mmCIF file of all heavy atoms in Angstrom:
data_model
loop_
_atom_site.group_PDB
_atom_site.id
_atom_site.type_symbol
_atom_site.label_atom_id
_atom_site.label_comp_id
_atom_site.label_asym_id
_atom_site.label_seq_id
_atom_site.Cartn_x
_atom_site.Cartn_y
_atom_site.Cartn_z
ATOM 1 N N MET A 112 -0.599 18.903 29.650
ATOM 2 C CA MET A 112 -0.551 20.241 30.212
ATOM 3 C C MET A 112 -1.544 21.174 29.549
ATOM 4 O O MET A 112 -2.039 20.937 28.464
ATOM 5 C CB MET A 112 0.868 20.809 30.058
ATOM 6 C CG MET A 112 1.901 20.032 30.874
ATOM 7 S SD MET A 112 3.498 20.722 30.625
ATOM 8 C CE MET A 112 3.302 22.289 31.451
ATOM 9 N N GLN A 113 -1.784 22.264 30.283
ATOM 10 C CA GLN A 113 -2.490 23.426 29.764
ATOM 11 C C GLN A 113 -3.843 23.086 29.142
ATOM 12 O O GLN A 113 -4.621 22.323 29.680
ATOM 13 C CB GLN A 113 -1.587 24.138 28.758
ATOM 14 C CG GLN A 113 -0.428 24.812 29.433
ATOM 15 C CD GLN A 113 0.306 25.707 28.462
ATOM 16 O OE1 GLN A 113 0.174 25.608 27.260
ATOM 17 N NE2 GLN A 113 1.081 26.592 28.999
ATOM 18 N N ALA A 114 -4.073 23.671 27.953
ATOM 19 C CA ALA A 114 -5.382 23.542 27.321
ATOM 20 C C ALA A 114 -5.726 22.090 27.050
ATOM 21 O O ALA A 114 -6.862 21.654 27.274
ATOM 22 C CB ALA A 114 -5.394 24.331 26.022
ATOM 23 N N LYS A 115 -4.750 21.353 26.602
ATOM 24 C CA LYS A 115 -5.023 19.957 26.278
ATOM 25 C C LYS A 115 -5.435 19.183 27.520
ATOM 26 O O LYS A 115 -6.309 18.328 27.470
ATOM 27 C CB LYS A 115 -3.797 19.321 25.633
ATOM 28 C CG LYS A 115 -4.039 17.878 25.220
ATOM 29 C CD LYS A 115 -3.063 17.412 24.192
ATOM 30 C CE LYS A 115 -3.352 15.980 23.804
ATOM 31 N NZ LYS A 115 -4.649 15.835 23.142
ATOM 32 N N GLN A 116 -4.798 19.533 28.646
ATOM 33 C CA GLN A 116 -5.123 18.870 29.898
ATOM 34 C C GLN A 116 -6.592 19.108 30.267
ATOM 35 O O GLN A 116 -7.312 18.180 30.638
ATOM 36 C CB GLN A 116 -4.212 19.429 30.985
ATOM 37 C CG GLN A 116 -4.134 18.572 32.207
ATOM 38 C CD GLN A 116 -3.141 19.120 33.203
ATOM 39 O OE1 GLN A 116 -2.818 20.299 33.165
ATOM 40 N NE2 GLN A 116 -2.678 18.279 34.087
ATOM 41 N N VAL A 117 -7.011 20.348 30.129
ATOM 42 C CA VAL A 117 -8.404 20.679 30.451
ATOM 43 C C VAL A 117 -9.353 19.970 29.495
ATOM 44 O O VAL A 117 -10.367 19.385 29.905
ATOM 45 C CB VAL A 117 -8.618 22.211 30.389
ATOM 46 C CG1 VAL A 117 -10.092 22.554 30.561
ATOM 47 C CG2 VAL A 117 -7.783 22.900 31.460
ATOM 48 N N VAL A 118 -8.986 20.000 28.207
ATOM 49 C CA VAL A 118 -9.850 19.348 27.214
ATOM 50 C C VAL A 118 -9.934 17.853 27.484
ATOM 51 O O VAL A 118 -11.009 17.251 27.393
ATOM 52 C CB VAL A 118 -9.329 19.636 25.780
ATOM 53 C CG1 VAL A 118 -10.032 18.746 24.768
ATOM 54 C CG2 VAL A 118 -9.546 21.091 25.427
ATOM 55 N N GLU A 119 -8.815 17.251 27.831
ATOM 56 C CA GLU A 119 -8.847 15.816 28.113
ATOM 57 C C GLU A 119 -9.709 15.517 29.340
ATOM 58 O O GLU A 119 -10.359 14.490 29.405
ATOM 59 C CB GLU A 119 -7.432 15.267 28.315
ATOM 60 C CG GLU A 119 -6.594 15.196 27.049
ATOM 61 C CD GLU A 119 -7.153 14.247 25.992
ATOM 62 O OE1 GLU A 119 -8.012 13.407 26.317
ATOM 63 O OE2 GLU A 119 -6.749 14.373 24.824
ATOM 64 N N ASP B 16 -11.795 29.780 27.974
ATOM 65 C CA ASP B 16 -10.447 30.266 27.655
ATOM 66 C C ASP B 16 -9.496 29.114 27.359
ATOM 67 O O ASP B 16 -8.740 29.136 26.394
ATOM 68 C CB ASP B 16 -9.893 31.099 28.811
ATOM 69 C CG ASP B 16 -10.610 32.444 28.918
ATOM 70 O OD1 ASP B 16 -11.315 32.794 27.944
ATOM 71 O OD2 ASP B 16 -10.474 33.111 29.963
ATOM 72 N N HIS B 17 -9.550 28.127 28.245
ATOM 73 C CA HIS B 17 -8.637 27.001 28.059
ATOM 74 C C HIS B 17 -8.996 26.186 26.821
ATOM 75 O O HIS B 17 -8.113 25.790 26.062
ATOM 76 C CB HIS B 17 -8.656 26.103 29.299
ATOM 77 C CG HIS B 17 -7.805 26.626 30.403
ATOM 78 N ND1 HIS B 17 -8.202 27.683 31.196
ATOM 79 C CD2 HIS B 17 -6.579 26.259 30.839
ATOM 80 C CE1 HIS B 17 -7.250 27.940 32.083
ATOM 81 N NE2 HIS B 17 -6.250 27.094 31.885
ATOM 82 N N ALA B 18 -10.282 25.948 26.664
ATOM 83 C CA ALA B 18 -10.698 25.115 25.525
ATOM 84 C C ALA B 18 -10.392 25.803 24.202
ATOM 85 O O ALA B 18 -10.015 25.155 23.227
ATOM 86 C CB ALA B 18 -12.191 24.810 25.631
ATOM 87 N N GLN B 20 -7.960 27.689 23.493
ATOM 88 C CA GLN B 20 -6.531 27.655 23.164
ATOM 89 C C GLN B 20 -6.127 26.343 22.509
ATOM 90 O O GLN B 20 -5.075 26.246 21.898
ATOM 91 C CB GLN B 20 -5.697 27.812 24.436
ATOM 92 C CG GLN B 20 -5.662 29.215 24.988
ATOM 93 C CD GLN B 20 -4.923 29.233 26.318
ATOM 94 O OE1 GLN B 20 -4.057 28.408 26.573
ATOM 95 N NE2 GLN B 20 -5.286 30.167 27.170
ATOM 96 N N PHE B 21 -6.963 25.365 22.679
ATOM 97 C CA PHE B 21 -6.574 24.021 22.257
ATOM 98 C C PHE B 21 -6.636 23.874 20.736
ATOM 99 O O PHE B 21 -7.638 24.177 20.103
ATOM 100 C CB PHE B 21 -7.497 22.998 22.924
ATOM 101 C CG PHE B 21 -7.181 21.592 22.564
ATOM 102 C CD1 PHE B 21 -5.919 21.056 22.794
ATOM 103 C CD2 PHE B 21 -8.142 20.781 21.981
ATOM 104 C CE1 PHE B 21 -5.630 19.754 22.457
ATOM 105 C CE2 PHE B 21 -7.856 19.474 21.648
ATOM 106 C CZ PHE B 21 -6.596 18.967 21.880
ATOM 107 N N LYS B 22 -5.532 23.404 20.192
ATOM 108 C CA LYS B 22 -5.454 23.177 18.745
ATOM 109 C C LYS B 22 -4.892 21.796 18.483
ATOM 110 O O LYS B 22 -4.082 21.293 19.257
ATOM 111 C CB LYS B 22 -4.524 24.190 18.082
ATOM 112 C CG LYS B 22 -5.048 25.599 18.013
ATOM 113 C CD LYS B 22 -4.034 26.464 17.307
ATOM 114 C CE LYS B 22 -4.475 27.904 17.264
ATOM 115 N NZ LYS B 22 -3.461 28.753 16.631
ATOM 116 N N ASN B 286 1.180 21.808 23.056
ATOM 117 C CA ASN B 286 0.107 21.076 22.388
ATOM 118 C C ASN B 286 0.628 20.309 21.194
ATOM 119 O O ASN B 286 0.239 19.189 20.938
ATOM 120 C CB ASN B 286 -0.972 22.050 21.912
ATOM 121 C CG ASN B 286 -1.724 22.620 23.081
ATOM 122 O OD1 ASN B 286 -1.660 22.057 24.160
ATOM 123 N ND2 ASN B 286 -2.402 23.719 22.864
#
Side-chain angles (χ1 to χ4, degrees):
Chain A
M112 295 179 69
Q113 290 190 343
K115 182 160 181 65
Q116 198 176 21
V117 173
V118 168
E119 289 297 344
Chain B
D16 289 346
H17 279 76
Q20 285 175 28
F21 180 57
K22 289 181 183 177
N286 290 342

